Amino acid sequence: QTGYTTIDQGFVNTSSTQSKITYIDGEKGILRYRGYSIEDVATNSTYLEAAFLLIYGNLPTADELGEFDEKIRRHTLLHEDLRRFFDGLPSSAHPMSVLSSAVSALSTYYEESSSVHDREQVEISTIRLLAKLPVIAAYAHKKSLGQAFLYPDNSLSFVDNFLKLNFGTMAEPYEVNPVVSKALDRLLILHEDHEQNASTSTVRLVGSTQANIFSSISAGINALYGPLHGGANEAVLKMLGEIKESGESVEKFVERVKNKEHGVKLMGFGHRVYKNFDPRAKLVKESADEVLTALGVQDPLLDIAKELEAVALADDYFIERKLYPNVDFYTGVIYKAMGFPPRMFTVLFAIGRLPGWIAHWREMNEDTNTKIGRPQQLYIGEPARDWPVR
Ligand code: SDX
């Protein structure tokens, strides 16, 4: 019998590291980025400013933010060969697979990024990832539509450039809707970091082998893809659509969840850490009403989501298990109203989470106590046996 005899399935009771980046109190529904409450950051900041805060530890001065923004604008172009990378993929490819593959491919253009302790390389890789991930994401979206890729427009803000890359076409000028732009910037802020969630832990684990930052982030994108993690926002919209199409009552669906029929779950509900409410879900729900009203969108799926929440929160099954809406429960309805197809929802989560992944990779990389992630196991297989005579 070697190793430890107890297994902490899913690391529910294991701290893998110490970190200065994000603080969560699951009982009180507290989330802080470098000490600032998520409510304050979401109300007063922007995606790029919050990214700077998470990565460098403090809010930037106006000059620092201007320089950071300018550097990112200057690196939005992809190498022309990389644009052709997308030609080899089917238009049916899920954008999350496109994203992780293209980010991995990105490292082949920057061989020098493999010197993971070269501060200059880490700095330029940070800027390149922040600048190019949205472009890759928009290309994945255009690829799925069979539409021509646009080039980034560096005269626009980060979010407006991203919106134009997704919804603009070569045929006519594109006007960004300020309601969409502001709402998307706020949603991206809400996703920027969340301490040791599965995808961030993946980025740290891969980075702990001294793999370069692009390969580590690509691994994080793959972890986020799963429906139990970032893929939940796409799964929620599918669930709401199925309830609507089936004509089944919300109560009936909830009963099926409680009976665990074919493993059906209430997607967008539950959280490993939050046991009273997810502070982000409250902010997203407020945003859903604001954005749909401002866009003049009436979506029955939002009404179904609100009904589902009300029924679940009044049901002992969910109360006993401390199941509440998480960040993924209402985001899909907003993304849909903005014009994004469901398969792009988790891509939006990835763009949001990128600054957190980068911040954690850098913190891990700078920590001289970092050891390669290599947990023990409890062996329960065959005892030693002789090779058969054949
Ligand atoms: C994200 O970690 C993070 O911070 C993640 C995230 C981030 O910002 O990075 O916040 C983003 O991933 C949010 C979660 C998105 N996933 C979903 O919405 C998928 C549905 N949720 C579940 O899969 C689940 O709630 C998890 C994965 C989120 C949390 O799972 P845990 O902590 O491992 O809890 P568990 O699976 O052990 O469940 C405990 C009980 C079980 O009941 P019993 O079998 O003991 O009777 O609650 C039940 C579960 O069956 N349960 C659910 C449920 N979630 C848990 N039952 C119905 N529907 C659900 N959604």
Side-chain angles (χ1 to χ4, degrees):
Q1 189 71 30
T2 60
Y4 295 97
T5 54
T6 50
I7 293 181
D8 181 18
Q9 199 71 39
F11 307 124
V12 176
N13 303 301
T14 297
S15 280
S16 61
T17 187
Q18 55 187 20
S19 174
K20 299 177 184 166
I21 300 168
T22 290
Y23 172 75
I24 298 177
D25 179 324
E27 288 306 319
K28 298 189 185 124
I30 293 173
L31 168 58
R32 295 191 198 123
Y33 290 168
R34 298 283 187 180
Y36 295 103
S37 76
I38 190 63
E39 292 81 5
D40 280 351
V41 181
T43 310
N44 304 306
S45 191
T46 62
Y47 168 77
L48 279 190
E49 185 181 51
F52 186 102
L53 169 65
L54 286 165
I55 294 167
Y56 300 105
N58 289 299
L59 284 169
T61 61
D63 289 350
E64 285 170 331
L65 183 58
E67 192 193 334
F68 187 58
D69 186 312
E70 184 46 34
K71 272 190 211 161
I72 288 169
R73 287 172 199 255
R74 272 214 312 274
H75 286 276
T76 51
L77 282 178
L78 298 186
H79 191 292
E80 277 301 302
D81 292 350
L82 187 61
R83 277 170 54 90
R84 280 189 280 280
F85 165 88
F86 295 82
D87 297 346
L89 300 172
S91 52
S92 58
H94 193 292
M96 281 298 278
S97 302
V98 176
L99 207 70
S100 61
S101 328
V103 167
S104 215
L106 212 46
S107 63
T108 64
Y109 291 86
Y110 311 113
E111 278 309 316
E112 63 285 7
S113 67
S114 50
S115 43
V116 296
H117 289 124
D118 175 332
R119 293 185 72 81
E120 250 177 61
Q121 281 310 317
V122 172
E123 201 47 45
I124 185 62
S125 299
T126 294
I127 297 298
R128 282 172 173 151
L129 276 161
L130 288 165
K132 298 179 197 301
L133 192 71
V135 182
I136 292 170
Y139 284 6
H141 183 194
K142 285 296 191 188
K143 172 92 190 167
S144 70
L145 300 173
Q147 284 184 9
F149 295 167
L150 295 185
Y151 277 86
D153 174 350
N154 293 342
S155 69
L156 297 175
S157 72
F158 181 91
V159 170
D160 290 1
N161 190 21
F162 177 62
L163 287 169
K164 182 174 176 185
L165 283 167
N166 276 281
F167 301 116
T169 66
M170 308 286 243
E172 52 210 20
Y174 174 77
E175 267 304 297
V176 174
N177 180 327
V179 170
V180 173
S181 172
K182 187 167 173 4
L184 183 55
D185 193 296
R186 195 162 181 251
L187 285 171
L188 290 174
I189 290 174
L190 295 176
H191 288 83
E192 288 201 44
D193 193 50
H194 215 238
E195 51 137 281
Q196 303 308 315
N197 59 86
S199 53
T200 302
S201 297
T202 302
V203 169
R204 278 182 170 260
L205 187 77
V206 172
S208 72
T209 69
Q210 296 198 2
N212 72 67
I213 192 168
F214 296 96
S215 305
S216 304
I217 299 291
S218 173
I221 294 170
N222 284 313
L224 188 73
Y225 189 1
L228 295 189
H229 188 12
N233 56 17
E234 179 180 349
V236 167
L237 209 81
K238 184 164 171 285
M239 171 185 75
L240 297 174
E242 284 166 357
I243 294 172
K244 178 170 172 286
E245 290 319 310
S246 69
E248 178 181 51
S249 72
V250 161
E251 288 77 4
K252 181 88 188 66
F253 175 76
V254 166
E255 281 313 305
R256 291 204 294 115
V257 170
K258 289 160 67 175
N259 300 333
K260 297 187 181 171
E261 250 176 56
H262 319 302
V264 73
K265 283 181 180 287
L266 185 42
M267 299 310 278
F269 256 66
H271 200 275
R272 173 64 59 77
V273 181
Y274 291 124
K275 296 305 174 191
N276 288 309
F277 64 95
D278 181 334
R280 303 167 297 176
K282 283 173 77 168
L283 294 167
V284 173
K285 184 176 176 182
E286 284 161 22
S287 222
D289 288 323
E290 280 164 29
V291 173
L292 268 68
T293 310
L295 295 179
V297 169
Q298 281 286 344
D299 189 341
L301 299 188
L302 179 57
D303 303 329
I304 293 173
K306 287 180 177 175
E307 207 188 328
L308 253 183
E309 179 184 6
V311 169
L313 295 188
D315 188 309
D316 287 344
Y317 179 92
F318 297 90
I319 296 168
E320 279 155 19
R321 292 169 176 77
K322 297 181 178 286
L323 301 176
Y324 299 85
N326 58 49
V327 70
D328 292 313
F329 191 61
Y330 284 106
T331 42
V333 170
I334 304 175
Y335 294 147
K336 180 182 166 221
M338 289 176 173
F340 290 103
R343 304 179 97 200
M344 280 294 288
F345 294 177
T346 311
V347 169
L348 296 173
F349 193 143
I351 294 171
R353 187 51 50 87
L354 179 62
W357 286 334
I358 292 172
H360 280 275
W361 189 91
R362 290 172 64 128
E363 183 179 68
M364 176 278 308
N365 194 28
E366 287 155 13
D367 177 355
T368 49
N369 296 322
T370 293
K371 289 174 73 66
I372 185 170
R374 200 260 179 248
Q376 301 257 356
Q377 66 155 27
L378 193 57
Y379 179 71
I380 55 169
E382 295 290 338
R385 44 184 173 170
D386 298 329
W387 192 258
V389 177
R390 290 186 297 185

